[in-house]
Amino acid sequence: MSPVRSGNGARFRGGPLACLLAFLALPAPPQAAVAGAGLSPQAPKPARRLDAPQERSPATPERLAADERATLRGERDLVLEVRVRAGDTYAAIGQRYLIDLRELDAVRARNGDRLPSEGSFLAIPYPSLNDRFKIRVIRDLFPEDGPREGNWIHRTGAGRLQPSQETLWNVALWLTGRGENFGVLADRNALPGLVPAKDQEIVVPGELLLPPFAALAGLLTASAGTPGSSAAPADVQGDDFTEVPGEPETGSGTAPSIAPSGQATDATGQLAYGSDDSGAFAKYRLKRGEALYSVVMRFTGRVDSQEVNDVAFAIAGRSGIEDVTDIPTGYGVKIPLDDLLPEYLPATDPRRVAWEKSQANVSRYINPASSRNLEGVTVILDAGHGGRDRGASHNGVSEHEYVYDILCRIKALLERDTAARVLTTIKDRREGYRVRDSNRLPRNQAEMLLTDPPFPLSEPYVSVNLRWYLTNSYYRRLVGEGSDPLKIVFTSLHADARHPGLGGAMVYVPGEQYRRSRYGYSGPVYARIREVREKPYVSFTRAQRERSEGLSRQFARALVRSFRAREIPVHPYDPVRERIIRKRRSWVPAVLRCSEVPVQVLIEVSNLNNLDDSRLLSDPAYRQKVAEAYVDALGLYYGGAAQRRAPSRATSSRGH
């Protein structure tokens, strides 16, 4: 979505329709799957995916037209030159060729503010092109390039460029979006220099490819970032935001919000309540430089790119915004009350009243346990995804390898510097718990869950559930051995892919309202696992749910405090959340929803869809800071002050 900012933004010339297209310049979401029939007390059904992969027709090579030509200017500057047609405007050209109309600034910088005359050629930088034209440019320059076994194969000297122009930097830049990936290509292809020999076959790993080339390689649906129907059998991209209960939780439904009769504004004076023909709304006046997408994330809790854009589009239309690229400072935008988070609703709104009551009940619970040097504390660590499931993958960074490295670092620090005991749900059969001080962490798909028997991570959606079965088994065993239940902490580490406009860490806790059913799974795969047979189904009393949310919120606040003390970016709006919101559904991730551990959190350490966040996560020094901040937070939670250690290099940790 265009970062709709108030103030003196550039105004496009294409009229309201073109501007709205600019606003929504994002890929369409996959078709929603039919919802499951729900859970029965005797045989709960597995969770269902909201976003089923779309069927894809076989890709057909597309070529540039006669009035389009790919050109390399200088050593690295790849552009598409297009002939200006009669009646063309910058906005019209942008709609044909650009990934987003925000890229018009880059096009104007190349060609001037005045559009070149009809019949002249206009240069469009390759990074600004949409997926279709990126593919066409590469096909035009390198007709023998193409996918193979989930990777992309480039043959030097077989296209229109000279071999000396096909440096590893350029190949990495054009196919992965980052020239810095040349080192990965050199390692993968055992190349000694930056310039490959003529007829050299260069393998570009699938996990690094830009979305359009990943789609052709069978890894992704182009631009959408979802698994394609013909995904390579050895590779799956998981999504933390698609694993949901089969039906809404009992008692979690809410009535539509209504316009307040006596309250004109909220307590802070930021929102003015009213109603129109479309229903009740809260009006918010944009501040200078403020983006509409950030208003959506702040007041509605949405973080998914497509949903943020959908809500923002609806707000723009309802608010009478014709030119979304130039909203005046102070302009009032109407946010439907039904989309607002409960804390921003009028004081008498039923949803607000219910939320305040729930928060009051939860806040009663404070962990009374204390510990010197974490004596008697057991930490159960989980790293999301693994094996075939690499998790979120953007900007050349795949989730699992990096969060698993953070797990190894936390484990090493706790075992070296504290008296805490560490258990894990997952282990790399080749690397063990070795910390890796590298910016590029290769995938080996050798991880397994430490169930009995061990479960190879070949079925991602089964492994999600086996993690909480294993965690619960650990918990029952520890309590049976005499451990204090309030000194057992479960943490699942992830890195998600939210709207790219805002980065920073987020922490999820188990919301009481979203754990009111009975949960469990059956079938031959589950029946083989001892931890499932021990206790196939779980459910929780209201007191247990409230206590767990309260204790977990307390720990989550300590985490946020420690992250900020270590200068780790934190999401600016409500970084501690009790549920995921998507497609007007709210739920808690399964590893929290079904866990019996009272103190539990899921940490999204970075937003991989945000370039700054993805670069941070690839830095081993940053991953070490996250691990140190986590240990600091445990010290805060159990009564000790956060200790700012000198930077350290954890090299290994013990198994268990």
Side-chain angles (χ1 to χ4, degrees):
M1 182 184 72
S2 299
V4 184
R5 297 188 181 277
S6 61
N8 300 318
R11 183 182 296 271
F12 295 132
R13 306 173 187 171
L17 177 59
C19 293
L20 286 176
L21 287 171
F23 185 80
L24 293 176
L26 274 181
Q31 296 295 322
V34 178
L39 301 172
S40 67
Q42 290 75 27
K45 294 186 178 180
R48 300 286 299 275
R49 289 181 63 87
L50 280 183
D51 296 334
Q54 288 182 315
E55 293 295 327
R56 295 189 294 120
S57 57
T60 56
E62 294 184 284
R63 304 296 180 187
L64 295 176
D67 58 355
E68 300 163 344
R69 61 194 186 198
T71 303
L72 182 64
R73 298 180 175 181
E75 296 181 354
R76 298 178 182 173
D77 188 15
L78 182 59
V79 299
L80 175 64
E81 296 179 344
V82 300
R83 193 184 301 274
V84 178
R85 305 173 186 174
D88 260 345
T89 64
Y90 267 123
I93 290 172
Q95 289 170 32
R96 289 202 302 271
Y97 292 102
L98 300 185
I99 191 170
D100 189 313
L101 285 186
R102 286 175 290 181
E103 297 295 328
L104 279 175
D105 288 342
V107 177
R108 284 194 176 100
R110 295 295 189 102
N111 302 277
D113 287 335
R114 182 183 295 275
L115 187 71
S117 60
E118 179 184 342
S120 300
F121 278 90
L122 174 143
I124 302 175
Y126 174 80
S128 299
L129 293 171
N130 61 35
D131 288 355
R132 171 177 290 185
F133 278 96
K134 279 190 174 77
I135 292 172
R136 290 184 181 184
V137 165
I138 295 301
R139 293 283 195 193
D140 180 74
L141 292 177
F142 312 115
E144 294 192 20
D145 279 19
R148 187 175 72 199
E149 297 178 352
N151 301 310
W152 189 269
I153 308 301
H154 171 74
R155 186 177 298 279
T156 59
R160 293 203 294 110
L161 298 184
Q162 296 297 318
S164 61
Q165 296 174 307
E166 299 174 52
T167 64
L168 286 184
W169 181 281
N170 282 349
V171 172
L173 180 64
W174 300 334
L175 293 174
T176 76
R178 296 184 67 189
E180 294 88 346
N181 286 331
F182 79 91
V184 180
L185 303 192
D187 292 343
R188 176 66 181 268
N189 296 277
L191 298 176
L194 273 175
V195 182
K198 185 177 180 180
D199 294 327
Q200 171 77 49
E201 186 178 89
I202 307 297
V203 177
V204 183
E207 61 265 27
L208 297 182
L209 290 171
L210 288 169
F213 304 107
L216 291 178
L219 300 179
L220 303 174
T221 300
S223 297
T226 56
S229 59
S230 59
D235 194 18
V236 173
Q237 184 175 8
D239 181 357
D240 295 336
F241 293 94
T242 55
E243 186 277 313
V244 299
E247 63 181 13
E249 296 291 309
T250 304
S252 63
T254 56
S257 296
I258 58 175
S261 57
Q263 184 181 357
T265 64
D266 72 327
T268 66
Q270 298 180 91
L271 300 174
Y273 302 115
S275 62
D276 56 20
D277 292 342
S278 299
F281 63 80
K283 181 178 286 188
Y284 175 78
R285 297 196 177 277
L286 287 173
K287 297 179 175 61
R288 183 173 181 80
E290 194 165 28
L292 189 54
Y293 69 76
S294 68
V295 173
V296 171
M297 286 190 272
R298 176 181 178 184
F299 290 107
T300 75
R302 270 68 168 184
V303 294
D304 172 70
S305 289
Q306 187 62 51
E307 189 158 18
V308 168
N309 289 325
D310 289 345
V311 174
F313 176 82
I315 290 173
R318 183 169 180 175
S319 304
I321 297 172
E322 294 186 356
D323 186 349
V324 296
T325 67
D326 190 14
I327 306 175
T329 299
Y331 191 92
V333 295
K334 297 179 179 179
I335 309 170
L337 290 195
D338 287 343
D339 287 328
L340 282 179
L341 290 169
E343 54 264 44
Y344 296 113
L345 289 168
T348 57
D349 188 278
R351 276 205 297 139
R352 172 70 177 266
V353 172
W355 175 79
E356 289 181 340
K357 181 179 179 181
S358 173
Q359 292 301 295
N361 290 337
V362 164
S363 64
R364 296 178 300 166
Y365 294 94
I366 301 295
N367 197 335
S370 62
S371 174
R372 184 178 180 84
N373 198 32
L374 301 182
E375 182 73 37
V377 172
T378 299
V379 179
I380 303 172
L381 294 174
D382 171 61
H385 311 280
R388 287 180 56 203
D389 180 8
R390 61 182 176 176
S393 182
H394 292 269
N395 296 310
V397 179
S398 294
E399 174 182 0
H400 174 75
E401 280 67 39
Y402 295 86
V403 297
Y404 182 77
D405 185 64
I406 293 174
L407 177 150
C408 295
R409 292 170 185 272
I410 293 173
K411 187 174 189 294
L413 285 172
L414 287 171
E415 291 174 341
R416 188 192 69 190
D417 297 342
T418 78
R421 180 182 182 184
V422 182
L423 301 175
T424 67
T425 64
I426 190 171
K427 184 176 183 178
D428 189 312
R429 288 171 291 179
R430 297 180 189 172
E431 300 287 341
Y433 298 108
R434 183 176 69 87
V435 168
R436 294 182 287 176
D437 283 318
S438 173
N439 290 77
R440 290 293 164 199
L441 302 182
R443 298 179 63 216
N444 63 24
Q445 302 188 33
E447 300 87 356
M448 63 180 179
L449 291 184
L450 298 177
T451 52
D452 180 16
F455 185 80
L457 294 175
S458 56
E459 300 181 56
Y461 307 111
V462 173
S463 75
V464 167
N465 299 309
L466 292 183
R467 292 169 198 260
W468 63 259
Y469 275 115
L470 176 58
T471 297
N472 289 350
S473 181
Y474 282 156
Y475 175 73
R476 291 191 299 269
R477 188 185 78 197
L478 290 166
V479 173
E481 293 172 351
S483 294
D484 183 346
L486 298 185
K487 290 186 178 180
I488 302 172
V489 178
F490 170 74
T491 300
S492 186
L493 299 164
H494 291 254
D496 59 5
R498 293 171 252 135
H499 190 283
L502 293 175
M506 297 178 68
V507 186
Y508 287 96
V509 299
E512 180 278 326
Q513 183 179 351
Y514 309 99
R515 307 175 69 202
R516 296 179 178 178
S517 295
R518 183 170 180 257
Y519 307 102
Y521 293 81
S522 60
V525 175
Y526 292 101
R528 292 195 295 268
I529 305 299
R530 174 180 59 81
E531 290 81 2
V532 177
R533 297 195 304 270
E534 286 177 357
K535 190 173 182 180
Y537 301 110
V538 294
S539 61
F540 307 96
T541 66
R542 178 175 175 177
Q544 287 173 326
R545 298 192 305 268
E546 290 178 347
R547 181 181 72 157
S548 184
E549 182 179 347
L551 299 179
S552 301
R553 277 188 178 277
Q554 183 188 357
F555 180 47
R557 289 193 294 269
L559 282 166
V560 170
R561 179 179 170 186
S562 294
F563 276 30
R564 287 174 172 156
R566 294 274 182 178
E567 298 182 344
I568 295 168
V570 174
H571 194 274
Y573 305 126
D574 298 321
V576 177
R577 302 191 178 192
E578 77 279 7
R579 86 282 200 201
I580 292 168
I581 304 172
R582 188 171 179 183
K583 297 184 184 298
R584 299 192 179 276
R585 293 284 304 277
S586 296
W587 71 92
V588 171
V591 290
L592 302 183
R593 183 172 68 242
C594 306
S595 171
E596 295 177 300
V597 180
V599 184
Q600 51 174 329
V601 294
L602 184 151
I603 306 174
E604 299 283 6
V605 296
S606 296
N607 173 13
L608 295 185
N609 218 13
N610 178 280
L611 185 58
D612 290 338
D613 267 22
S614 61
R615 286 175 174 170
L616 279 174
L617 189 60
S618 68
D619 183 355
Y622 172 79
R623 299 196 296 272
Q624 185 67 17
K625 281 208 306 183
V626 172
E628 291 172 351
Y630 179 88
V631 176
D632 290 347
L634 282 173
L636 283 172
Y637 187 63
Y638 285 109
Q643 300 297 316
R644 292 189 61 85
R645 301 175 186 81
S648 59
R649 289 170 58 91
T651 56
S652 64
S653 66
R654 301 188 298 272
H656 70 269

